[in-house]
Amino acid sequence: MKKEFGMFQAATGRRLAFERVEGRGPGVVFLHGFKSDMGGTKAVDLQAWCRGQGRAMLRFDLSGHGQSGGAVEDFGVGDWLEDARELIDALAPGPQVLVGSSLGGWLALLLARERPERWAGLVTIAAAPDFTRRMQGEFTEADRAALARDGHVTRPSDYGEDYVFSERLFRQGAEHSVFAAPLALPMPVRFLQGTADADVPMADALRLLDHAEGPDIRLTLVRGADHRFSAPAELALIRDAVVGICAAAG
């Protein structure tokens, strides 16, 4: 199958790195998490499976991530939603299965809500909608002072450098809340969540399941799985979710 790597020039002027595999539809679009990129284990595994199946797939780096331009702290949820919407419309025509991990799950939910007819299905992995609001609810006085003084707060990361969360991220997070409005999802939806996830509590997944409305929505809880959700059995669950949706879509 033909594979294409390139840089997409968005209308905003931002340059977004992408990799696309040609194939039959419905295609698969992968949305990565905060401070991750399209080279993560889940995205690479899913692309290898799509190539083997002859199925189209698109993965890309959001602004400030991976090989795309800018720094993470310069952008927020609204910016990344613009990235995803424009790039997908330009490079992935026709019905698509959205697969979103963590922050990518938040973006996928927003995309699914605003244009439900565009998507053949939705798969989220440790989806983190409105995580900025949860963070703010846990702020200390020192956190609030740092945000006012420096324009950002930091948190240690188990995956490398400290996370930097900007005022722009919190502001845009409030403007693009999933839980502040109804969430109608008429397409097949599969939520995947680990019970040992230290970043997205299992309670958040249950809240999302309760909030979403649709005829075919399922939540799978995986005992012992953490936020990475990248063990072989967990990767197989992601593939199986996509297989089921593609089969339903014909």
Side-chain angles (χ1 to χ4, degrees), residues 47-142:
Q47 186 190 70
W49 176 81
C50 284
R51 290 193 74 185
Q53 297 293 313
R55 187 168 300 282
M57 180 173 169
L58 172 67
R59 55 180 176 146
F60 53 92
D61 290 334
L62 298 166
S63 291
H65 295 79
Q67 298 179 62
S68 292
V72 173
E73 55 267 29
D74 294 334
F75 304 99
V77 176
D79 300 315
W80 295 321
L81 182 62
E82 288 178 346
D83 288 348
R85 185 191 298 117
E86 184 179 355
L87 199 150
I88 294 169
D89 280 352
L91 300 181
Q96 302 291 319
V97 179
L98 287 172
V99 181
S101 174
S102 194
L103 166 66
W106 185 352
L107 299 176
L109 291 164
L110 293 171
L111 289 168
R113 180 168 67 188
E114 70 181 24
R115 285 190 297 170
E117 73 287 348
R118 176 77 168 83
W119 317 110
L122 171 65
V123 179
T124 69
I125 308 146
D130 298 22
F131 76 83
T132 49
R133 182 173 183 177
R134 172 163 50 81
M135 282 187 65
Q136 287 176 294
E138 299 168 352
F139 271 6
T140 64
E141 287 299 326

Coordinates of all heavy atoms in Angstrom, one line a residue, residues 47-142:
Q47 N -1.5 1.6 12.5 CA -1.2 1.8 11.1 C -0.7 0.5 10.4 O -1.0 0.2 9.3 CB -0.1 2.9 10.9 CG 0.2 3.2 9.4 CD 1.3 4.1 9.2 OE1 2.5 3.7 9.4 NE2 1.1 5.4 8.8
A48 N 0.2 -0.2 11.1 CA 0.6 -1.5 10.6 C -0.5 -2.4 10.3 O -0.5 -3.1 9.2 CB 1.6 -2.1 11.6
W49 N -1.5 -2.4 11.2 CA -2.7 -3.3 10.9 C -3.5 -2.8 9.7 O -3.9 -3.6 8.9 CB -3.6 -3.3 12.2 CG -4.8 -4.1 12.0 CD1 -5.0 -5.4 12.1 CD2 -6.1 -3.5 11.6 NE1 -6.3 -5.7 11.8 CE2 -7.0 -4.6 11.5 CE3 -6.6 -2.2 11.3 CZ2 -8.3 -4.4 11.1 CZ3 -7.9 -2.1 11.0 CH2 -8.8 -3.2 10.9
C50 N -3.7 -1.5 9.6 CA -4.4 -0.9 8.5 C -3.7 -1.3 7.2 O -4.4 -1.7 6.2 CB -4.5 0.6 8.6 SG -5.8 1.1 9.8
R51 N -2.4 -1.2 7.1 CA -1.7 -1.5 5.9 C -1.8 -3.0 5.5 O -2.0 -3.3 4.4 CB -0.2 -1.2 6.1 CG 0.2 0.3 6.1 CD 1.7 0.5 6.0 NE 2.1 0.3 4.6 CZ 3.4 0.4 4.2 NH1 4.3 0.6 5.1 NH2 3.7 0.2 2.9
G52 N -1.8 -3.8 6.6 CA -2.0 -5.2 6.3 C -3.4 -5.6 5.8 O -3.6 -6.6 5.1
Q53 N -4.4 -4.8 6.2 CA -5.7 -5.0 5.8 C -6.1 -4.3 4.5 O -7.2 -4.4 4.0 CB -6.7 -4.5 6.9 CG -6.5 -5.3 8.2 CD -7.0 -6.7 8.1 OE1 -8.1 -7.0 7.5 NE2 -6.2 -7.7 8.6
G54 N -5.2 -3.4 4.0 CA -5.5 -2.6 2.9 C -6.5 -1.5 3.2 O -7.2 -1.0 2.3
R55 N -6.5 -1.0 4.4 CA -7.4 0.0 4.9 C -6.7 1.3 4.9 O -5.5 1.4 5.4 CB -8.1 -0.3 6.2 CG -9.1 0.6 6.6 CD -9.9 0.1 7.8 NE -10.6 -1.2 7.5 CZ -11.7 -1.3 6.8 NH1 -12.3 -0.2 6.3 NH2 -12.2 -2.5 6.6
A56 N -7.3 2.4 4.5 CA -6.7 3.8 4.6 C -6.6 4.2 6.1 O -7.4 3.8 6.9 CB -7.6 4.8 3.9
M57 N -5.5 4.9 6.3 CA -5.3 5.5 7.6 C -4.6 6.8 7.6 O -3.7 7.0 6.7 CB -4.5 4.5 8.5 CG -4.3 5.1 9.9 SD -3.6 4.0 11.1 CE -3.2 5.1 12.5
L58 N -4.9 7.7 8.4 CA -4.3 9.0 8.6 C -3.9 9.2 10.0 O -4.7 9.0 10.9 CB -5.2 10.1 8.2 CG -4.7 11.6 8.4 CD1 -3.5 11.9 7.6 CD2 -5.8 12.6 8.2
R59 N -2.6 9.6 10.3 CA -2.2 10.0 11.6 C -1.3 11.2 11.4 O -0.7 11.5 10.4 CB -1.3 8.9 12.3 CG -0.1 8.4 11.5 CD 0.6 7.3 12.3 NE 1.7 6.7 11.4 CZ 2.9 6.3 11.9 NH1 3.1 6.4 13.2 NH2 3.8 5.9 11.1
F60 N -1.3 12.1 12.5 CA -0.6 13.4 12.3 C -0.2 13.9 13.7 O -0.7 13.4 14.7 CB -1.5 14.4 11.6 CG -2.9 14.5 12.2 CD1 -3.1 15.5 13.1 CD2 -3.9 13.7 11.8 CE1 -4.4 15.7 13.6 CE2 -5.2 13.9 12.3 CZ -5.4 14.9 13.2
D61 N 0.7 14.9 13.7 CA 1.1 15.5 14.9 C 0.3 16.9 15.1 O 0.4 17.7 14.2 CB 2.6 15.8 14.9 CG 3.5 14.6 15.0 OD1 3.0 13.6 15.5 OD2 4.6 14.6 14.5
L62 N -0.3 17.0 16.2 CA -1.0 18.3 16.5 C 0.1 19.4 16.7 O 1.2 19.1 17.0 CB -1.8 18.2 17.8 CG -3.0 17.1 17.7 CD1 -3.5 16.9 19.2 CD2 -4.1 17.7 16.9
S63 N -0.3 20.6 16.5 CA 0.6 21.7 16.7 C 1.3 21.6 18.1 O 0.7 21.3 19.1 CB -0.2 23.1 16.7 OG -0.6 23.3 15.4
G64 N 2.6 21.9 18.0 CA 3.4 21.8 19.2 C 3.9 20.4 19.6 O 4.6 20.2 20.6
H65 N 3.5 19.4 18.8 CA 3.8 18.0 19.1 C 4.6 17.4 18.0 O 4.5 17.8 16.8 CB 2.6 17.2 19.3 CG 1.8 17.6 20.5 ND1 0.9 18.7 20.5 CD2 1.7 17.0 21.7 CE1 0.3 18.7 21.7 NE2 0.7 17.7 22.4
G66 N 5.5 16.5 18.3 CA 6.2 15.7 17.3 C 6.9 16.6 16.3 O 7.7 17.5 16.7
Q67 N 6.7 16.4 15.0 CA 7.4 17.2 14.0 C 6.6 18.4 13.5 O 7.1 19.1 12.6 CB 7.7 16.2 12.8 CG 8.6 15.1 13.2 CD 8.8 14.1 12.0 OE1 9.4 14.6 11.0 NE2 8.4 12.9 12.1
S68 N 5.4 18.7 14.1 CA 4.7 19.9 13.7 C 5.3 21.1 14.4 O 6.0 21.0 15.4 CB 3.2 19.7 14.1 OG 2.6 18.7 13.3
G69 N 5.0 22.2 13.9 CA 5.6 23.5 14.4 C 5.1 23.9 15.7 O 3.9 23.6 16.1
G70 N 5.9 24.7 16.5 CA 5.4 25.4 17.7 C 5.8 24.6 18.9 O 6.3 23.5 18.9
A71 N 5.4 25.2 20.1 CA 5.6 24.5 21.4 C 4.3 24.2 22.0 O 3.3 25.0 21.8 CB 6.4 25.5 22.3
V72 N 4.2 23.1 22.7 CA 2.9 22.7 23.2 C 2.2 23.8 24.0 O 1.0 24.0 23.8 CB 3.1 21.5 24.2 CG1 1.8 21.1 24.9 CG2 3.6 20.3 23.4
E73 N 2.9 24.5 24.8 CA 2.3 25.5 25.7 C 1.7 26.7 24.9 O 1.0 27.6 25.5 CB 3.2 26.0 26.7 CG 4.5 26.6 26.2 CD 5.6 25.5 26.2 OE1 5.3 24.3 26.0 OE2 6.8 25.9 26.3
D74 N 2.0 26.8 23.6 CA 1.5 27.9 22.8 C 0.1 27.6 22.3 O -0.5 28.5 21.6 CB 2.4 28.2 21.6 CG 3.8 28.7 22.0 OD1 3.9 29.3 23.1 OD2 4.8 28.5 21.2
F75 N -0.4 26.5 22.5 CA -1.7 26.1 21.9 C -2.7 25.5 23.0 O -2.3 25.3 24.1 CB -1.5 25.0 20.8 CG -0.5 25.4 19.8 CD1 0.8 25.0 19.8 CD2 -0.9 26.2 18.7 CE1 1.7 25.4 18.9 CE2 0.0 26.6 17.8 CZ 1.3 26.2 17.8
G76 N -3.9 25.4 22.6 CA -5.0 24.9 23.4 C -5.9 24.0 22.7 O -5.7 23.7 21.5
V77 N -6.9 23.5 23.4 CA -7.9 22.5 22.8 C -8.5 23.1 21.5 O -8.7 22.3 20.5 CB -8.9 22.2 23.8 CG1 -10.0 21.2 23.2 CG2 -8.3 21.5 25.0
G78 N -8.9 24.3 21.5 CA -9.5 24.9 20.3 C -8.6 24.9 19.1 O -9.0 24.6 18.0
D79 N -7.3 25.2 19.4 CA -6.3 25.2 18.3 C -6.1 23.8 17.7 O -6.1 23.6 16.5 CB -4.9 25.7 18.8 CG -5.0 27.1 19.4 OD1 -5.6 28.0 18.7 OD2 -4.4 27.3 20.4
W80 N -6.1 22.8 18.6 CA -5.9 21.4 18.2 C -7.1 20.9 17.5 O -7.0 20.1 16.5 CB -5.5 20.6 19.3 CG -4.1 20.9 19.9 CD1 -3.0 21.3 19.2 CD2 -3.8 21.0 21.3 NE1 -2.0 21.6 20.0 CE2 -2.4 21.4 21.3 CE3 -4.4 20.8 22.5 CZ2 -1.7 21.6 22.5 CZ3 -3.7 20.9 23.7 CH2 -2.4 21.3 23.7
L81 N -8.3 21.4 17.9 CA -9.5 21.0 17.2 C -9.5 21.5 15.8 O -9.9 20.8 14.8 CB -10.7 21.5 17.9 CG -12.1 21.1 17.4 CD1 -12.3 19.6 17.4 CD2 -13.2 21.8 18.2
E82 N -9.0 22.8 15.6 CA -8.9 23.3 14.2 C -7.9 22.5 13.4 O -8.2 22.2 12.2 CB -8.4 24.8 14.3 CG -9.4 25.8 14.8 CD -8.8 27.2 14.9 OE1 -7.5 27.3 14.9 OE2 -9.6 28.1 15.1
D83 N -6.8 22.2 14.0 CA -5.8 21.3 13.3 C -6.4 20.1 12.7 O -6.3 19.7 11.6 CB -4.7 20.9 14.2 CG -3.7 22.0 14.6 OD1 -3.8 23.1 14.0 OD2 -2.9 21.8 15.6
A84 N -7.1 19.4 13.6 CA -7.7 18.0 13.3 C -8.8 18.2 12.2 O -8.8 17.4 11.2 CB -8.2 17.4 14.5
R85 N -9.7 19.1 12.4 CA -10.8 19.3 11.5 C -10.3 19.6 10.1 O -10.7 19.0 9.1 CB -11.7 20.4 12.0 CG -12.9 20.6 11.2 CD -13.7 21.9 11.6 NE -14.1 21.9 12.9 CZ -13.7 22.8 13.8 NH1 -12.7 23.7 13.5 NH2 -14.2 22.8 15.1
E86 N -9.4 20.6 10.0 CA -8.9 21.0 8.6 C -8.1 19.9 8.0 O -8.3 19.6 6.8 CB -8.1 22.3 8.7 CG -7.7 22.8 7.4 CD -6.9 24.1 7.4 OE1 -6.7 24.6 8.5 OE2 -6.4 24.5 6.4
L87 N -7.2 19.3 8.7 CA -6.3 18.2 8.1 C -7.1 17.0 7.7 O -6.9 16.5 6.6 CB -5.2 17.9 9.1 CG -4.0 17.2 8.5 CD1 -2.8 17.5 9.3 CD2 -4.2 15.7 8.5
I88 N -8.1 16.6 8.5 CA -8.9 15.4 8.2 C -9.7 15.7 7.0 O -9.8 14.9 6.0 CB -9.8 15.0 9.4 CG1 -8.9 14.5 10.5 CG2 -10.7 13.9 9.0 CD1 -9.7 14.3 11.8
D89 N -10.4 16.8 6.9 CA -11.2 17.2 5.8 C -10.4 17.2 4.5 O -10.9 16.8 3.4 CB -11.9 18.5 6.0 CG -13.1 18.4 6.9 OD1 -13.5 17.3 7.2 OD2 -13.7 19.5 7.2
A90 N -9.1 17.7 4.6 CA -8.3 17.8 3.4 C -7.7 16.4 2.9 O -7.6 16.2 1.7 CB -7.1 18.8 3.6
L91 N -7.4 15.6 3.9 CA -6.6 14.4 3.6 C -7.3 13.0 3.8 O -6.8 12.0 3.4 CB -5.3 14.3 4.4 CG -4.4 15.5 4.2 CD1 -3.1 15.3 5.1 CD2 -3.9 15.6 2.7
A92 N -8.5 13.1 4.4 CA -9.2 11.8 4.6 C -10.7 12.0 4.3 O -11.6 12.1 5.1 CB -9.1 11.4 6.1
P93 N -11.0 12.1 3.0 CA -12.4 12.2 2.6 C -13.2 10.9 2.8 O -12.6 9.9 2.9 CB -12.3 12.5 1.1 CG -11.0 11.8 0.7 CD -10.1 12.0 1.8
G94 N -14.5 11.1 2.9 CA -15.3 9.9 3.1 C -15.4 9.5 4.5 O -14.8 10.2 5.4
P95 N -16.2 8.5 4.8 CA -16.4 8.1 6.2 C -15.1 7.7 6.8 O -14.3 7.0 6.2 CB -17.4 6.9 6.0 CG -18.1 7.1 4.7 CD -17.0 7.7 3.8
Q96 N -15.0 8.0 8.1 CA -13.7 7.7 8.8 C -14.1 7.2 10.2 O -15.1 7.6 10.8 CB -12.9 8.9 9.0 CG -12.4 9.6 7.7 CD -11.5 8.7 6.9 OE1 -10.6 8.1 7.5 NE2 -11.6 8.7 5.6
V97 N -13.3 6.3 10.7 CA -13.4 5.9 12.1 C -12.4 6.7 12.9 O -11.2 6.6 12.7 CB -13.0 4.4 12.3 CG1 -13.1 4.0 13.7 CG2 -14.0 3.5 11.4
L98 N -12.9 7.5 13.8 CA -12.0 8.3 14.7 C -11.5 7.5 15.8 O -12.3 6.8 16.6 CB -12.8 9.5 15.2 CG -13.1 10.6 14.3 CD1 -14.0 11.6 15.0 CD2 -11.8 11.3 13.8
V99 N -10.2 7.5 16.0 CA -9.6 6.8 17.2 C -8.8 7.8 18.0 O -7.8 8.4 17.4 CB -8.7 5.6 16.7 CG1 -8.1 4.9 18.0 CG2 -9.4 4.6 15.9
G100 N -9.2 8.1 19.2 CA -8.5 9.2 19.9 C -8.0 8.7 21.3 O -8.8 8.0 22.0
S101 N -6.8 9.0 21.6 CA -6.2 8.6 22.9 C -6.0 9.8 23.8 O -5.4 10.8 23.4 CB -4.8 8.0 22.6 OG -4.1 7.7 23.8
S102 N -6.6 9.7 25.0 CA -6.4 10.8 26.0 C -6.9 12.1 25.5 O -8.1 12.3 25.2 CB -5.0 10.8 26.5 OG -4.8 11.6 27.7
L103 N -6.0 13.1 25.3 CA -6.4 14.4 24.7 C -7.1 14.1 23.4 O -8.1 14.8 23.0 CB -5.2 15.3 24.6 CG -5.4 16.5 23.7 CD1 -6.4 17.5 24.3 CD2 -4.1 17.2 23.4
G104 N -6.5 13.2 22.6 CA -7.1 12.9 21.3 C -8.5 12.4 21.4 O -9.3 12.6 20.5
G105 N -8.8 11.7 22.5 CA -10.2 11.3 22.8 C -11.1 12.5 23.0 O -12.3 12.5 22.5
W106 N -10.6 13.5 23.7 CA -11.4 14.7 23.9 C -11.7 15.3 22.5 O -12.8 15.7 22.2 CB -10.6 15.7 24.7 CG -11.3 17.0 25.1 CD1 -12.5 17.4 24.7 CD2 -10.8 17.9 26.1 NE1 -12.8 18.6 25.3 CE2 -11.8 19.0 26.1 CE3 -9.7 18.0 26.9 CZ2 -11.6 20.1 26.9 CZ3 -9.5 19.1 27.7 CH2 -10.5 20.2 27.7
L107 N -10.7 15.5 21.7 CA -10.9 16.0 20.3 C -11.8 15.2 19.5 O -12.7 15.7 18.8 CB -9.5 16.2 19.6 CG -8.5 17.1 20.3 CD1 -7.2 17.0 19.6 CD2 -9.0 18.5 20.4
A108 N -11.7 13.9 19.6 CA -12.6 13.0 18.8 C -14.0 13.2 19.2 O -14.9 13.2 18.4 CB -12.1 11.6 19.0
L109 N -14.3 13.3 20.5 CA -15.6 13.5 21.0 C -16.2 14.9 20.5 O -17.4 14.9 20.1 CB -15.7 13.5 22.5 CG -15.4 12.1 23.1 CD1 -15.0 12.3 24.6 CD2 -16.6 11.2 23.0
L110 N -15.4 15.9 20.5 CA -15.8 17.2 19.9 C -16.1 17.1 18.4 O -17.2 17.6 18.0 CB -14.8 18.3 20.2 CG -14.5 18.7 21.6 CD1 -13.3 19.6 21.7 CD2 -15.7 19.3 22.2
L111 N -15.3 16.4 17.7 CA -15.5 16.3 16.2 C -16.8 15.4 16.0 O -17.5 15.8 15.1 CB -14.3 15.6 15.6 CG -13.0 16.4 15.5 CD1 -11.8 15.5 15.1 CD2 -13.2 17.5 14.4
A112 N -17.0 14.4 16.8 CA -18.1 13.5 16.6 C -19.4 14.3 16.9 O -20.4 14.1 16.3 CB -18.0 12.3 17.5
R113 N -19.4 15.2 17.9 CA -20.6 15.9 18.3 C -20.9 17.0 17.2 O -22.1 17.2 16.9 CB -20.4 16.6 19.6 CG -21.6 17.4 20.1 CD -21.5 17.8 21.5 NE -20.4 18.8 21.8 CZ -20.1 19.2 23.0 NH1 -20.7 18.7 24.1 NH2 -19.1 20.1 23.2
E114 N -19.9 17.6 16.7 CA -20.2 18.7 15.8 C -20.6 18.3 14.4 O -21.4 19.0 13.7 CB -19.0 19.7 15.7 CG -17.8 19.2 14.9 CD -16.7 20.2 14.9 OE1 -16.6 21.1 15.8 OE2 -15.8 20.1 14.0
R115 N -20.2 17.1 13.9 CA -20.6 16.6 12.6 C -20.8 15.1 12.7 O -20.0 14.3 12.1 CB -19.6 17.0 11.5 CG -19.6 18.5 11.1 CD -18.7 18.7 9.9 NE -17.3 18.4 10.2 CZ -16.4 18.4 9.3 NH1 -16.7 18.5 8.0 NH2 -15.1 18.1 9.6
P116 N -21.8 14.6 13.3 CA -21.9 13.1 13.5 C -22.0 12.4 12.2 O -21.6 11.2 12.1 CB -23.2 13.0 14.3 CG -23.9 14.3 14.1 CD -22.9 15.3 14.0
E117 N -22.6 13.0 11.2 CA -22.7 12.3 9.9 C -21.4 12.0 9.2 O -21.3 11.2 8.2 CB -23.6 13.1 9.0 CG -23.0 14.4 8.4 CD -22.8 15.5 9.3 OE1 -23.4 15.5 10.5 OE2 -22.1 16.5 9.0
R118 N -20.3 12.7 9.6 CA -19.0 12.5 9.0 C -18.3 11.3 9.4 O -17.4 10.8 8.6 CB -18.2 13.8 9.4 CG -16.7 13.8 9.0 CD -16.6 14.2 7.5 NE -15.3 14.6 7.1 CZ -14.4 13.7 6.7 NH1 -14.7 12.4 6.7 NH2 -13.2 14.1 6.3
W119 N -18.7 10.6 10.5 CA -17.9 9.5 11.0 C -18.6 8.2 11.0 O -19.8 8.0 11.3 CB -17.5 9.9 12.5 CG -17.1 11.3 12.6 CD1 -17.8 12.3 13.2 CD2 -16.0 11.9 12.0 NE1 -17.1 13.5 13.1 CE2 -16.0 13.3 12.3 CE3 -14.9 11.4 11.3 CZ2 -15.0 14.2 11.9 CZ3 -13.9 12.3 10.9 CH2 -13.9 13.7 11.2
A120 N -17.8 7.1 10.6 CA -18.4 5.8 10.6 C -18.4 5.2 12.0 O -19.2 4.3 12.3 CB -17.5 4.9 9.7
G121 N -17.6 5.7 12.9 CA -17.5 5.2 14.2 C -16.5 6.0 15.0 O -15.7 6.8 14.5
L122 N -16.5 5.7 16.3 CA -15.6 6.4 17.3 C -15.0 5.4 18.3 O -15.8 4.6 18.9 CB -16.4 7.5 18.0 CG -15.8 8.2 19.2 CD1 -14.5 9.0 18.7 CD2 -16.8 9.1 19.8
V123 N -13.7 5.4 18.4 CA -13.0 4.6 19.5 C -12.2 5.6 20.3 O -11.4 6.4 19.8 CB -12.1 3.6 18.9 CG1 -11.4 2.8 20.0 CG2 -12.9 2.6 17.9
T124 N -12.4 5.6 21.6 CA -11.5 6.4 22.5 C -10.8 5.5 23.4 O -11.3 4.4 23.9 CB -12.3 7.4 23.3 OG1 -13.1 6.8 24.3 CG2 -13.2 8.3 22.4
I125 N -9.6 5.9 23.8 CA -8.7 5.2 24.6 C -8.3 6.1 25.8 O -7.6 7.1 25.6 CB -7.4 4.7 23.9 CG1 -7.8 4.0 22.6 CG2 -6.5 3.8 24.8 CD1 -6.8 4.2 21.5
A126 N -8.8 5.8 27.0 CA -8.5 6.7 28.1 C -8.9 8.1 27.8 O -8.1 9.0 28.0 CB -7.1 6.5 28.6
A127 N -10.0 8.3 27.2 CA -10.4 9.7 26.8 C -10.4 10.6 28.0 O -10.8 10.3 29.1 CB -11.8 9.6 26.2
A128 N -9.9 11.8 27.7 CA -9.7 12.8 28.8 C -10.5 14.1 28.5 O -9.9 15.2 28.6 CB -8.2 13.1 29.0
P129 N -11.8 14.0 28.2 CA -12.5 15.3 28.0 C -12.6 16.1 29.3 O -12.7 15.6 30.4 CB -13.9 14.8 27.6 CG -14.1 13.4 28.3 CD -12.7 12.9 28.2
D130 N -12.4 17.4 29.1 CA -12.5 18.4 30.2 C -11.5 18.1 31.3 O -11.7 18.5 32.5 CB -13.9 18.4 30.8 CG -15.0 18.8 29.8 OD1 -14.8 18.7 28.6 OD2 -16.1 19.2 30.2
F131 N -10.3 17.5 31.0 CA -9.4 17.3 32.0 C -8.8 18.6 32.6 O -8.4 18.6 33.8 CB -8.2 16.4 31.5 CG -7.2 17.1 30.7 CD1 -6.1 17.8 31.2 CD2 -7.2 17.0 29.3 CE1 -5.2 18.4 30.4 CE2 -6.3 17.6 28.5 CZ -5.2 18.3 29.1
T132 N -8.9 19.6 31.9 CA -8.4 20.9 32.4 C -9.3 21.4 33.6 O -8.8 22.0 34.5 CB -8.4 22.0 31.3 OG1 -9.6 22.0 30.6 CG2 -7.2 21.7 30.3
R133 N -10.6 21.2 33.4 CA -11.5 21.6 34.5 C -11.2 20.7 35.8 O -11.2 21.3 36.9 CB -12.9 21.4 34.1 CG -13.9 21.9 35.1 CD -15.4 21.8 34.6 NE -16.3 22.3 35.6 CZ -17.6 22.5 35.4 NH1 -18.1 22.2 34.2 NH2 -18.4 22.9 36.3
R134 N -11.0 19.5 35.6 CA -10.7 18.6 36.8 C -9.4 19.1 37.4 O -9.3 19.2 38.7 CB -10.6 17.1 36.3 CG -10.0 16.2 37.4 CD -10.3 14.8 37.2 NE -9.9 14.4 35.8 CZ -8.7 14.0 35.5 NH1 -7.7 14.1 36.4 NH2 -8.4 13.6 34.3
M135 N -8.4 19.4 36.6 CA -7.1 19.9 37.1 C -7.3 21.2 38.0 O -6.8 21.3 39.1 CB -6.1 20.2 36.0 CG -5.4 19.0 35.4 SD -4.2 19.6 34.2 CE -3.0 20.4 35.3
Q136 N -8.1 22.1 37.4 CA -8.3 23.4 38.1 C -9.0 23.2 39.4 O -8.8 23.9 40.4 CB -9.1 24.3 37.2 CG -8.3 24.9 36.0 CD -9.1 25.8 35.1 OE1 -10.0 25.3 34.4 NE2 -8.8 27.0 35.1
G137 N -9.9 22.2 39.5 CA -10.6 21.9 40.7 C -9.6 21.4 41.8 O -10.0 21.4 43.0
E138 N -8.5 20.9 41.4 CA -7.5 20.4 42.3 C -6.3 21.4 42.6 O -5.4 21.0 43.3 CB -6.9 19.1 41.8 CG -8.0 18.0 41.6 CD -7.4 16.8 40.8 OE1 -6.3 16.9 40.3 OE2 -8.2 15.8 40.7
F139 N -6.4 22.6 42.0 CA -5.4 23.6 42.2 C -5.2 24.0 43.6 O -6.1 24.1 44.4 CB -5.7 24.8 41.4 CG -5.2 24.8 40.0 CD1 -4.6 23.7 39.4 CD2 -5.4 26.0 39.2 CE1 -4.2 23.7 38.1 CE2 -4.9 26.0 37.9 CZ -4.3 24.9 37.3
T140 N -3.9 24.2 44.0 CA -3.6 24.8 45.3 C -3.4 26.3 45.1 O -3.5 26.8 43.9 CB -2.2 24.2 45.8 OG1 -1.2 24.6 44.9 CG2 -2.3 22.7 45.9
E141 N -3.3 27.0 46.2 CA -3.0 28.4 46.1 C -1.8 28.7 45.3 O -1.7 29.7 44.5 CB -3.0 29.0 47.5 CG -4.3 29.1 48.2 CD -5.3 30.0 47.5 OE1 -4.9 31.0 46.8 OE2 -6.5 29.7 47.5
A142 N -0.7 27.8 45.5 CA 0.5 28.0 44.8 C 0.3 27.8 43.3 O 0.9 28.5 42.5 CB 1.6 27.0 45.3

